[in-house]
């Protein structure tokens, strides 16, 4: 393994805020309450991992949680080399009046996602803002619909902020398509909660200060199965994602490679508590990044990153 040139990586970081996604998000950990929002596999923050809102029986629901990741990598680029704490909260409002015909569910949501470290972010980035160590604080708002109980479409607008003044703020527009394939693999697979969870995420940057706005495309799957039974079971998943872009990835020797990374992971998730705490979901996993060695990403050719987290809602 060899580390990508730091000067090239810093050039990319200087003109690109982190692309927020959630290893801690409950998106691809298997059987769980129905969710809205950008449903994806890839990172540990919004766009790559925006946490999803878990819908409660009422019109208004709140979900929140946090992850701890060994290193903050988003879309195949290093944004902080220290262990990072990443809490989030999402407010969702169901819109049953918009359902009917092919539209089987609809909602809007607003939320906040953060990434914090005990020290500086590393990689030579500034840490001189009003709250040093608070690397990222993102605000997102969007809407989601479900079509024929299978196809999910969500649109989300992100505003990326850095209380530590580590990067210049900018925006993203995220369009994510998902397909619920649960129950399509036969009775034996359905009994084990098996699904592949295919998804396609497309993110358009808006207002990058020092380079053209990039389009990011991420196809993904997250095969998962339930081990055990009912509430006492453990969901095991193997999320996989590919990162592609027209201009996000700066080349080590110039140019803009299209391919950024392939990522495969292993995750477990469970609701181990009873009673009032039964909605608390615990997650853990490892993610293995296979990175394009032509990209100035501040990383080795391969990276192994651990993650643990929890989520809940009401």
């Amino acid at each position: 393994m060899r580390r990508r040139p730091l000067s090239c990586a810093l050039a990319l970081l200087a003109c690109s805020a982190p692309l927020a996604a959630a290893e801690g998000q409950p998106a691809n950990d298997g059987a769980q309450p129905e969710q809205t929002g950008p449903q994806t596999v890839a990172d540990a923050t919004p766009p790559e991992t925006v946490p999803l809102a878990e819908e409660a029986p009422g019109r208004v629901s709140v979900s929140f949680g946090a992850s701890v990741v060994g290193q903050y990598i988003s879309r195949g680029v290093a944004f902080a080399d220290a262990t990072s704490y990443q809490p989030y909260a999402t407010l969702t409002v169901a819109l049953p009046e918009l359902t009917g015909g092919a539209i089987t569910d609809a909602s809007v949501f607003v939320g906040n996602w953060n990434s914090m470290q005990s020290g500086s972010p590393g990689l030579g980035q500034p840490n001189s803002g009003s709250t040093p160590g608070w690397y990222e604080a993102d605000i997102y708002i969007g809407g989601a619909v479900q079509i024929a109980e299978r196809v999910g479409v969500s649109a989300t607008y992100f505003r990326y902020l850095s209380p530590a003044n580590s990067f210049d703020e900018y925006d993203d527009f995220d369009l994510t398509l998902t397909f619920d394939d649960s129950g399509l693999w036969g009775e034996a697979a359905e009994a084990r909660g098996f699904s592949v969870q295919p998804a396609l995420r497309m993110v358009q940057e808006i207002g990058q200060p020092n380079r053209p706005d990039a389009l990011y495309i991420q196809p993904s799957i997250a095969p998962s199965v339930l081990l055990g039974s009912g509430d006492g079971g453990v969901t095991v998943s193997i999320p996989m994602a590919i990162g592609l872009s027209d201009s996000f990835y700066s080349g080590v020797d110039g140019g803009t490679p299209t391919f950024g990374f392939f990522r495969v992971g292993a995750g477990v998730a469970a609701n181990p508590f009873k009673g009032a705490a039964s909605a608390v979901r615990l997650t853990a996993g490892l993610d293995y990044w296979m990175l394009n060695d032509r990209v100035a990403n501040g990383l080795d050719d391969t990276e192994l990153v651990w993650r643990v987290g929890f989520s809940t809602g009401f």
Side-chain angles (χ1 to χ4, degrees):
M1 297 189 297
R2 62 189 180 89
R3 187 69 57 170
R4 296 281 75 71
L6 184 57
S7 59
C8 294
L10 291 177
L12 176 60
L13 289 165
C15 60
S16 169
L19 307 164
E23 294 325 325
Q25 79 180 23
N28 292 293
D29 289 317
Q32 54 196 335
E34 187 170 323
Q35 299 166 323
T36 61
Q39 214 170 145
T40 56
V41 174
D43 294 316
T45 61
E48 299 276 296
T49 189
V50 121
L52 306 182
E54 296 184 358
E55 293 185 4
R59 175 181 285 265
V60 178
S61 61
V62 175
S63 66
F64 59 92
S67 294
V68 181
V69 297
Q71 184 178 6
Y72 181 6
I73 301 174
S74 183
R75 299 183 192 175
V77 174
F79 288 103
D81 57 7
T83 298
S84 299
Y85 172 64
Q86 298 174 334
Y88 76 90
T90 304
L91 172 69
T92 301
V93 179
L95 301 174
E97 58 271 23
L98 298 184
T99 61
I103 305 298
T104 52
D105 197 7
S107 63
V108 293
F109 52 88
V110 62
N112 169 251
W113 183 95
N114 305 270
S115 187
M116 307 170 182
Q117 300 87 245
S118 59
S120 64
L123 302 174
Q125 296 171 87
N127 192 39
S128 58
S130 59
T131 312
W134 192 349
Y135 181 75
E136 186 173 349
D138 304 331
I139 300 170
Y140 51 92
I141 183 170
V145 296
Q146 184 183 65
I147 303 171
E149 299 184 349
R150 291 286 184 185
V151 178
V153 181
S154 66
T156 311
Y157 193 87
F158 292 91
R159 180 66 171 172
Y160 297 100
L161 307 169
S162 178
N165 197 32
S166 296
F167 59 82
D168 294 332
E169 60 190 53
Y170 79 113
D171 307 314
D172 267 350
F173 178 76
D174 177 300
L175 179 66
T176 298
L177 308 177
T178 62
F179 180 73
D180 180 6
D181 63 310
S182 59
L184 299 180
W185 301 96
E187 294 183 2
E190 185 175 5
R192 283 283 146 217
F194 174 79
S195 64
V196 176
Q197 303 176 60
L200 177 64
R201 164 175 243 139
M202 296 165 285
V203 183
Q204 177 63 58
E205 296 178 329
I206 302 170
Q208 278 286 357
N210 299 311
R211 64 168 170 81
D213 294 335
L215 172 66
Y216 174 78
I217 299 176
Q218 178 189 287
S220 64
I221 59 173
S224 64
V225 65
L226 178 66
L227 303 180
S229 59
D231 295 337
V234 175
T235 297
V236 178
S237 61
I238 304 176
M240 290 175 272
I242 297 173
L244 307 168
S245 179
D246 57 353
S247 61
F248 175 70
Y249 296 111
S250 296
V252 173
D253 299 316
T256 53
T258 300
F259 170 72
F261 70 89
F262 171 71
R263 202 189 96 173
V264 60
V268 295
N271 295 71
F273 306 114
K274 306 297 182 182
S278 61
V280 176
R281 188 166 183 83
L282 304 183
T283 61
L286 288 172
D287 299 299
Y288 185 66
W289 296 79
M290 288 166 272
L291 300 145
N292 185 351
D293 62 8
R294 294 175 53 226
V295 173
N297 50 30
L299 299 165
D300 290 327
D301 295 343
T302 61
E303 297 282 347
L304 185 64
V305 180
W306 59 267
R307 52 186 166 84
V308 295
F310 81 94
S311 64
T312 189
F314 58 87

